Amino acid sequence: QVQLVESGGGLVQTGGSLTLSCVASGGIANIDFMGWYRQAPGKQRELVATITNQNIPNYSDSVKGRFTVSRDNFRSAMFLQMNSLHPEDTAVYYCNARKFTATIELLYDVWGQGTQVTVSS
């Protein structure tokens, strides 16, 4: 089964940028959906961005225009370029991978361990 490892989190000032990486064991070419989610203290985990195996991205309204999700099948990795960061972006960011069968049943739903992003005001 796929294992995911995130990196790239850290502390940045308001308006700054960070790039998160998610490396998957076993390759990502066959993964239907990969995505980034985040969870701030005291809040539920929320969607940040997803990308399909045909490189079709989708963003939450709160990050649209500031964040860019991409995937590189050759490097078995997904990235999240985050620009114009706000303190409200502070959270643990998680990488997710989902694969479905030909009959649209969930085959697996895998999460990474998370990486902390802190934006100071």
Side-chain angles (χ1 to χ4, degrees):
Q1 187 169 333
V2 172
Q3 292 184 324
L4 305 174
V5 178
E6 303 101 329
S7 61
L11 174 64
V12 65
Q13 291 184 334
T14 296
S17 299
L18 281 174
T19 300
L20 305 183
S21 300
C22 171
V23 177
S25 63
I28 65 170
N30 293 324
I31 298 176
D32 298 305
F33 290 91
M34 297 191 73
W36 291 98
Y37 293 74
R38 67 187 181 187
Q39 187 166 18
K43 295 187 177 182
Q44 290 187 333
R45 191 172 297 188
E46 63 175 2
L47 170 71
V48 176
T50 61
I51 186 165
T52 71
N53 58 3
Q54 297 185 350
N55 287 316
I56 298 172
N58 179 58
Y59 300 95
S60 68
D61 289 341
S62 62
V63 306
K64 200 172 293 183
R66 299 188 297 123
F67 291 9
T68 302
V69 62
S70 62
R71 59 192 283 173
D72 185 331
N73 290 348
F74 181 75
R75 290 193 283 173
S76 297
M78 176 180 63
F79 306 96
L80 185 68
Q81 174 67 44
M82 305 185 295
N83 298 325
S84 302
L85 284 161
H86 307 153
E88 304 82 69
D89 296 315
T90 294
V92 178
Y93 284 69
Y94 296 91
C95 174
N96 174 255
R98 295 175 185 169
K99 182 167 176 60
F100 295 86
T101 67
T103 55
I104 322 298
E105 294 177 2
L106 186 63
L107 187 60
Y108 60 74
D109 183 4
V110 177
W111 295 87
Q113 82 289 351
T115 186
Q116 176 71 47
V117 171
T118 303
V119 185
S120 63
S121 57

